[in-house]
Amino acid sequence: MSFKTSIVAVSLALAFSAQASTITKDNGAYVGDNQNSITAGENGSVLLQDVHLIQKLQRFARERIPERVVHARGTGAHGVFVSSGDFSELTIADPFEGAGKETPVFVRFSTVVHSKGSPESLRDPRGFATKFYTDEGNWDLVGNNLPVFFIRDAIKFPDMVHSLKPSPVTNLQDPNRFFDFFSHNPSATHMLAQLYSNLGTPASYREMDGFGVHAYKWINDQGDVKYVKFHWQSQQGINSLRPTELAKVQGEDFNHLTSDLYKEIEDGNFPKWDLYVKVLSPSELVELDYNGLDATKIWLDVPETKVGTMTLNKVPDNFFQESEQSAFAPSNLISGIEPSEDRLLQGRVFSYADTQLYRLGANLSQLPINAAKSNISNYNQDGLGNQGNTRSDINYEPSRHVELNENARSRAVETDLAGTVQQVAIKEQRNFYQAGVFYRDLSPQDKSDLITNLSGDLGKVKDDGIKHTMLSFFYKADNDFGRRLTQAVNGDIDRVKIMASSL
Ligand code: HEM
């Protein structure tokens, strides 16, 4: 081998072994020196013409986008959903059209109240958001690990979140503030009982269930409507941290949920969840002895049917591009699935898409993680960061030059209406009874952990009125629950009983 060819061979080997490439600026031009700024002589100032330096500093200063206003701390994974049958009698929704039908998914798990860099061990509901990249567009099932919610009307959401987030004065989360809010909202009793059980501190994201919480409508080819509630059941089982285990986890690795998910997927232990649905016809829904569209209620005693299984098998290549820029919205629905009339859900159908236009910009659905894998064909256009490839000058419909068909199967389902426009709370509130059912179903160990967890925060409440109002809610749910809690926070049980009797 000549001297010349051996140099070529060595440099080629180097190029491939270290993945060498030449550093460029954002316009693709080569960078001459990535170590030293351009200066006027040895002791002179840095020059404005150092485009590379300026670009680096400018891009660095713009690396952050607003964190999600809630659910800021999260972690995502890719996977696949496989339908376990043909459910076309219930819905024309694409993922359920036949046994074995595969739909790619991206899931983001999250905590709710705490900020982006916060410990994952803190008590919180956990978000369980799934994006189905179906053949007919993206469907987002944006749920939590608890089956109910604190409130039943979106108009209370900003107030509730303000009370749960750190104080605007001290920047500290404060039970005095959120129990003040909840003492005016007995609808939260069931959710608070669930949240302060050990379910509020899952041992891993793999070992928790997920719930759609609201009822949605499933619509078949004949336009028949069924109300459905979704439930992801973990094949790994449910495993939560007891109060005694929490401190240990916080000391060892407060990113334990992300660490666990990444490790298990990278080791090939792919977590799986079975998707179950509870199905009620519109007439069965109104026969329930509580409001079936109230997000503070579980549909007790309604059997579940398994409709598929989801496997998470790949972690993101890049956290920011995938998990952080992912945008899940209850308004991302597909043919065969519509929102129910649940007031909370109706507010969510607006709120997510709205906040994402602010957080990610008008063209958020062009980001690869959010882009549908099916064809997008409409005349929404332009806006910041648009990457469209529009070639036609027909950007309106109808036109004699381009035929853009509508799909009659995707029309809004017809729904009977009666009554008046009004601004009134729902009638059948029954704020306490399902919290009691939940408490009585717990094991003795889980009951005492719930008392420990809840009294830890309620015991910090200084205002006696707030404290006793909260105690009366839990007493009303279940006498034993309220009595033990009152004892744990040194409350006055006679006062609690009197207050509970007027609820
Ligand atoms: C009216 C009530 C609610 C409102 C107004 C609301 C609003 C929001 C907003 C603005 C975000 C941030 C979205 C983003 O920046 O991408 C969010 C995230 C989220 N919400 Fe809600 N929310 C409500 C109730 C609920 C309920 C009942 C659930 C569970 C069923 C839920 C589950 C989630 C989840 C899982 C996320 C995080 C999604 C992700 O991983 O990006 N929210 N919510």
Side-chain angles (χ1 to χ4, degrees):
M1 188 166 36
S2 73
F3 179 65
K4 201 171 159 193
T5 46
S6 71
I7 288 184
V8 171
V10 167
S11 54
L12 270 180
L14 272 179
F16 288 117
S17 66
Q19 287 188 315
S21 64
T22 306
I23 184 167
T24 69
K25 295 190 271 273
D26 280 352
N27 66 344
Y30 294 133
V31 170
D33 185 340
N34 194 33
Q35 321 304 324
N36 304 295
S37 306
I38 302 175
T39 59
E42 190 179 350
N43 297 318
S45 306
V46 174
L47 297 187
L48 192 57
Q49 73 178 53
D50 192 344
V51 173
H52 177 55
L53 165 72
I54 290 172
Q55 187 174 77
K56 267 182 99 168
L57 296 178
Q58 284 174 323
R59 285 299 306 267
F60 177 70
R62 289 163 178 77
E63 281 178 7
R64 301 286 174 270
I65 58 172
E67 67 175 34
R68 289 165 174 83
V69 65
V70 282
H71 293 260
R73 176 82 211 254
T75 192
H78 297 270
V80 63
F81 174 79
V82 182
S83 178
S84 50
D86 172 359
F87 300 98
S88 54
E89 276 200 3
L90 293 169
T91 178
I92 56 169
D94 172 76
F96 306 104
E97 72 177 16
K101 163 99 188 186
E102 293 193 5
T103 305
V105 296
F106 182 71
V107 171
R108 182 173 177 271
F109 301 111
S110 51
T111 55
V112 179
V113 172
H114 307 287
S115 59
K116 202 177 146 218
S118 58
E120 292 182 310
S121 49
L122 297 173
R123 180 169 309 284
D124 227 347
R126 308 295 149 145
F128 191 133
T130 309
K131 189 179 286 293
F132 294 76
Y133 301 93
T134 86
D135 294 339
E136 296 192 7
N138 288 352
W139 168 41
D140 295 350
L141 179 54
V142 196
N144 279 341
N145 73 324
L146 303 177
V148 288
F149 204 61
F150 304 95
I151 50 172
R152 52 172 75 93
D153 192 318
I155 202 166
K156 294 318 301 166
F157 189 76
D159 296 300
M160 184 190 82
V161 172
H162 287 173
S163 82
L164 284 162
K165 286 269 189 188
S167 148
V169 175
T170 62
N171 198 31
L172 297 172
Q173 197 191 34
D174 184 353
N176 286 287
R177 300 177 67 252
F178 61 76
F179 281 125
D180 181 17
F181 175 83
F182 287 128
S183 69
H184 297 91
N185 286 279
S187 66
T189 311
H190 186 185
M191 180 69 166
L192 287 171
Q194 297 246 0
L195 176 62
Y196 277 95
S197 77
N198 294 334
L199 293 173
T201 49
S204 73
Y205 280 138
R206 293 175 303 109
E207 295 160 299
M208 63 178 205
D209 281 4
F211 297 89
V213 175
H214 312 277
Y216 288 82
K217 286 178 186 172
W218 263 9
I219 300 136
N220 70 11
D221 223 3
Q222 284 76 51
D224 302 324
V225 173
K226 294 278 189 289
Y227 286 89
V228 294
K229 280 206 182 201
F230 298 101
H231 174 194
W232 291 112
Q233 200 171 306
S234 168
Q235 285 193 11
Q236 295 68 239
I238 294 182
N239 186 16
S240 306
L241 295 176
R242 299 200 43 221
T244 43
E245 294 164 321
L246 263 181
K248 188 166 172 278
V249 167
Q250 269 155 1
E252 281 171 0
D253 175 14
F254 65 67
N255 304 305
H256 63 116
L257 300 181
T258 298
S259 304
D260 173 88
L261 190 72
Y262 273 58
K263 180 179 180 307
E264 294 296 321
I265 291 179
E266 277 164 356
D267 287 354
N269 298 326
F270 301 144
K272 290 180 198 285
W273 285 262
D274 294 321
L275 183 63
Y276 285 82
V277 290
K278 290 186 173 187
V279 183
L280 289 177
S281 67
S283 58
E284 290 167 328
L285 185 86
V286 294
E287 278 163 21
L288 296 172
D289 62 355
Y290 47 86
N291 186 323
L293 298 179
D294 173 358
T296 74
K297 300 294 184 296
I298 295 172
W299 287 354
L300 290 172
D301 304 325
V302 177
E304 295 189 316
T305 307
K306 183 176 156 185
V307 292
T309 301
M310 173 172 76
T311 306
L312 297 183
N313 52 25
K314 185 181 175 302
V315 296
D317 293 326
N318 179 284
F319 173 79
F320 181 84
Q321 285 155 22
E322 293 163 70
S323 301
E324 199 58 13
Q325 292 199 122
S326 61
F328 301 83
S331 51
N332 285 336
L333 296 166
I334 52 172
S335 309
I337 310 177
E338 284 192 18
S340 72
E341 295 78 9
D342 176 333
R343 298 174 185 194
L344 195 73
L345 175 59
Q346 297 269 326
R348 295 181 71 205
V349 166
F350 163 76
S351 178
Y352 290 63
D354 177 60
T355 194
Q356 287 155 4
L357 287 171
Y358 162 69
R359 182 166 72 82
L360 297 162
N363 287 300
L364 69 110
S365 53
Q366 291 180 2
L367 294 168
I369 193 67
N370 299 323
K373 298 196 191 299
S374 57
N375 185 38
I376 306 291
S377 192
N378 64 42
Y379 298 133
N380 295 333
Q381 67 174 23
D382 301 351
L384 193 70
N386 189 299
Q387 298 173 58
N389 192 16
T390 310
R391 295 212 170 88
S392 163
D393 69 348
I394 309 296
N395 58 355
Y396 48 86
E397 191 283 336
S399 155
R400 288 183 203 288
H401 307 291
V402 178
E403 201 179 341
L404 208 53
N405 298 317
E406 294 159 343
N407 185 338
R409 288 166 88 228
S410 309
R411 297 188 100 148
V413 74
E414 289 193 5
T415 307
D416 291 337
L417 292 175
T420 57
V421 171
Q422 55 176 247
Q423 201 163 14
V424 191
I426 63 164
K427 286 198 192 72
E428 288 295 328
Q429 302 207 348
R430 304 200 64 190
N431 288 319
F432 310 105
Y433 100 99
Q434 287 200 357
V437 173
F438 174 74
Y439 177 78
R440 288 186 289 279
D441 276 353
L442 293 176
S443 69
Q445 179 70 75
D446 285 336
K447 277 184 186 151
S448 44
D449 285 349
L450 168 59
I451 304 294
T452 305
N453 296 333
L454 185 46
S455 61
D457 273 356
L458 203 52
K460 292 181 190 138
V461 173
K462 297 185 195 107
D463 184 308
D464 231 32
I466 294 174
K467 188 163 87 176
H468 281 85
T469 305
M470 292 309 307
L471 290 170
S472 71
F473 292 169
F474 296 115
Y475 185 86
K476 182 80 178 175
D478 182 276
N479 292 177
D480 178 62
F481 184 14
R483 194 177 302 110
R484 291 176 68 180
L485 208 50
T486 304
Q487 199 176 10
V489 298
N490 296 319
D492 175 349
I493 191 66
D494 293 329
R495 186 174 166 193
V496 170
K497 283 182 185 172
I498 293 168
M499 291 172 82
S501 66
S502 63
L503 290 170

